[in-house]
């Protein structure tokens, strides 16, 4: 009998000018980026938490503490690859993932396909199992005021 599980993840990072902006492993053309201990890829962080949550393996902060020099400026794709390895060690395979990015600017639509392919490659699944969606918040709240980026992710896993 197969065991199907789902998990959800959520993350927020503050936006400041002059920093690189990474989302779903892709560098976004922008004059500003995310304040973080790692590369600030808020979408990958939400995805890692969704995958870890599905397997009840805790959260990204527990596995990759943000006070550790090991993770200073780290490429979040490395963290995602490690999370996938943890799931594989528990016997899980990824069913599908779905990521939603809330960001006022710049527009993410031109990057969506690249993002899906990047995440799929890192996770070792086909891109048809990876959904990435983006929205603004109609200039409302901290996202709408350009102060931060908010991401949600859902993942299904099976063993
Ligand atoms: Mg984060």
């Amino acid at each position: 009998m197969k065991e199907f599980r789902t998990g959800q993840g959520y993350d927020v990072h503050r936006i400041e000018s002059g920093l690189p902006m990474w989302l779903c492993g892709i560098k976004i053309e922008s004059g500003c980026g995310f304040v973080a201990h790692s590369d600030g890829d808020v979408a990958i962080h939400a995805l890692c938490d969704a995958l870890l949550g599905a397997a009840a393996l805790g959260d990204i902060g527990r596995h990759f503490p943000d006070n550790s020099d090991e993770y200073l400026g780290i490429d979040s794709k490395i963290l995602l690859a490690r999370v996938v390895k943890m799931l594989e060690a528990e016997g899980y395979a990824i069913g599908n993932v779905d990521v939603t990015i809330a960001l006022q600017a710049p527009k993410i639509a031109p990057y969506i396909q690249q993002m899906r392919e990047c995440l799929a490659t890192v996770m070792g699944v086909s891109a048809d199992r990876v959904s990435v969606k983006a929205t603004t918040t109609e200039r409302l709240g901290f996202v709408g005021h350009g102060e931060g980026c908010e991401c949600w992710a859902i993942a299904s896993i099976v063993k």
Side-chain angles (χ1 to χ4, degrees):
M1 174 97 167
K2 285 199 166 181
E3 184 180 352
F4 295 93
R5 304 177 66 141
T6 59
Q8 60 111 16
Y10 169 76
D11 198 21
V12 171
H13 278 261
R14 197 152 48 83
I15 293 175
E16 271 186 13
S17 60
L19 294 173
M21 181 179 285
W22 289 94
L23 282 170
C24 294
I26 303 298
K27 181 115 182 260
I28 308 298
E29 289 294 331
S30 173
C32 47
F34 305 130
V35 179
H37 185 72
S38 67
D39 68 0
D41 194 324
V42 52
I44 286 188
H45 297 173
L47 177 55
C48 285
D49 266 356
L51 291 164
L52 289 168
L57 286 174
D59 60 41
I60 191 172
R62 180 178 126 195
H63 293 286
F64 313 114
D66 67 5
N67 54 9
S68 162
D69 284 350
E70 184 184 352
Y71 305 116
L72 185 62
I74 195 168
D75 180 343
S76 292
K77 293 189 281 294
I78 295 169
L79 306 182
L80 177 59
R82 288 190 194 170
V83 166
V84 171
K85 278 222 163 15
M86 284 180 222
L87 296 196
E88 285 170 358
E90 298 284 326
Y92 291 110
I94 293 167
N96 72 297
V97 303
D98 185 18
V99 178
T100 301
I101 300 165
L103 182 68
Q104 191 61 44
K107 288 271 176 260
I108 295 305
Y111 299 97
I112 294 280
Q113 191 55 31
Q114 273 176 274
M115 289 174 165
R116 293 179 62 209
E117 284 164 13
C118 178
L119 295 179
T121 300
V122 174
M123 293 189 292
V125 301
S126 55
D128 66 348
R129 292 175 184 267
V130 180
S131 164
V132 177
K133 313 190 300 297
T135 184
T136 70
T137 60
E138 299 287 341
R139 305 204 171 277
L140 295 169
F142 71 86
V143 170
H145 298 151
E147 294 165 354
C149 178
E150 198 171 24
C151 291
W152 297 261
I154 290 180
S156 73
I157 60 174
V158 61
K159 84 167 155 185

